[in-house]
Amino acid sequence: MTVAPHRAPLVFADLDAALTALRQRGLRVSAARRAVLERLFTAEGPLSAEEIAHGGPETAERVDLASVYRNLEALEELGLVGHVHLGHGPGRYALASEGEQEYLVCERCDAVRSAAPAELEGVRRDIEGRFGYRARFGHFPIVGLCPRCVAAADANAPS
Amino acid sequence: MTVAPHRAPLVFADLDAALTALRQRGLRVSAARRAVLERLFTAEGPLSAEEIAHGGPETAERVDLASVYRNLEALEELGLVGHVHLGHGPGRYALASEGEQEYLVCERCDAVRSAAPAELEGVRRDIEGRFGYRARFGHFPIVGLCPRCVAAADANAPS
């Protein structure tokens, strides 16, 4: 299985700081690379490459999908970006953060809840104690029903 | 997100019982369908469609990939087959079983450990108590490091 590389995350306060850092590393900041980073800095959660290519404000530079993928790959290689699998679809990308984010995803309504790793320490300890596996949910999340879909399922269950 | 349908599982002791049941439902048992079921009955774990198409004994009927996918879809629709996502690659298919199997997967060496849902009840309760999400690991497994890769990682960690 290929896994998301565990690079040291490169975290920047804003787009300008990220662009400056790229230039300091001698990397060219193309219009496409700038547009990809811009979308990630304004995103509220992990985005698919499609969403990055087609989303963004009307005035934004259009970026073709292949170019989005190439840039995401380069930025992931550098440690600025990471990806997570939130279901059957393609991976979703987000800026690297200081603490790895972990995720819970609803398989019915696609709700996503992020969690700090500390919140999942008890779960991780329990799994490692019982199975010897050391789980992490930042790349492949916990999948199940969200609270709203649990309530709906329980209401419909035969009593 | 499309999810594996929660059909009532149709469980059969052996290939003949499964084929008889298909015929009783008025379904044709083509050579391809028979070959797909045969591979699943002799498999030791979930198989990808590719493995089903190309695996099997030398003497087995060759089945093209599109036909494998069509048959898996039909068998899943009936409840005889289910699929699980064991990483970045394509889904993997197994015969339905009485109790849903759940899985833990190693992101480094691809080791797969199956677990009875009862073994994961404590973990599930903990997650639901803390986040309200009701997790299941039969379709999207718990991903992390297996015991052997945990030991290797700990041995290499700076002390």
Side-chain angles (χ1 to χ4, degrees):
Chain A
M1 188 188 308
T2 357
V3 293
H6 282 236
R7 306 232 166 263
L10 274 182
V11 184
F12 300 101
D14 55 31
L15 179 62
D16 284 342
L19 296 178
T20 304
L22 287 175
R23 288 195 194 97
Q24 281 170 351
R25 282 170 170 73
L27 295 163
R28 208 168 65 83
V29 177
S30 63
R33 182 157 300 174
R34 188 196 170 86
V36 166
L37 277 170
E38 205 160 30
R39 308 248 163 108
L40 291 173
F41 268 103
T42 54
E44 297 195 352
L47 298 177
S48 69
E50 285 275 358
E51 287 168 336
I52 294 170
H54 301 125
E58 279 308 307
T59 56
E61 183 85 23
R62 296 286 121 187
V63 188
D64 71 273
L65 192 58
S67 174
V68 168
Y69 272 115
R70 264 197 314 276
N71 276 287
L72 288 170
E73 198 176 339
L75 293 168
E76 188 156 11
E77 188 64 31
L78 288 165
L80 267 84
V81 165
H83 76 267
V84 57
H85 296 272
L86 297 179
H88 280 111
R92 291 174 172 268
Y93 297 80
L95 293 169
S97 56
E98 285 298 348
E100 189 187 14
Q101 280 292 304
E102 301 198 282
Y103 300 95
L104 298 97
V105 181
C106 182
E107 64 181 3
R108 193 160 296 169
C109 77
D110 290 355
V112 178
R113 174 14 168 144
S114 63
E119 295 182 88
L120 282 158
E121 267 320 305
V123 168
R124 212 176 333 268
R125 247 193 333 267
D126 191 4
I127 292 171
E128 189 165 353
R130 194 177 287 267
F131 302 101
Y133 272 70
R134 189 174 294 162
R136 64 179 186 117
F137 304 108
H139 184 207
F140 289 102
I142 292 171
V143 179
L145 296 181
C146 71
R148 188 191 292 251
C149 290
V150 165
D154 288 351
N156 290 329
S159 59
Chain B
M1 186 188 304
T2 355
V3 295
H6 282 236
R7 307 233 166 264
L10 274 181
V11 185
F12 299 101
D14 55 33
L15 179 62
D16 285 342
L19 296 177
T20 304
L22 287 176
R23 288 194 195 98
Q24 281 169 350
R25 282 169 171 72
L27 296 163
R28 208 167 67 82
V29 177
S30 64
R33 182 157 300 176
R34 188 196 171 87
V36 166
L37 277 169
E38 205 160 30
R39 307 247 165 108
L40 291 173
F41 268 103
T42 54
E44 296 194 355
L47 298 177
S48 68
E50 284 276 359
E51 287 169 337
I52 294 170
H54 301 127
E58 280 307 307
T59 54
E61 183 83 25
R62 295 286 122 187
V63 187
D64 71 273
L65 191 58
S67 173
V68 167
Y69 272 114
R70 265 197 312 277
N71 275 288
L72 287 170
E73 196 175 342
L75 293 168
E76 188 156 12
E77 186 66 29
L78 287 165
L80 266 85
V81 165
H83 76 268
V84 58
H85 297 271
L86 297 178
H88 280 112
R92 291 174 172 267
Y93 297 81
L95 294 169
S97 56
E98 284 298 348
E100 189 187 13
Q101 281 291 305
E102 300 198 281
Y103 300 95
L104 298 97
V105 182
C106 182
E107 62 182 4
R108 192 161 296 169
C109 77
D110 289 356
V112 177
R113 153 83 146 97
S114 63
E119 295 181 87
L120 282 158
E121 267 320 306
V123 169
R124 211 175 335 266
R125 248 195 329 268
D126 192 2
I127 292 170
E128 189 164 353
R130 193 176 288 269
F131 301 100
Y133 272 71
R134 189 174 295 162
R136 63 179 187 115
F137 304 109
H139 185 208
F140 290 101
I142 292 171
V143 179
L145 296 180
C146 72
R148 186 189 294 251
C149 291
V150 165
D154 287 351
N156 290 330
S159 57

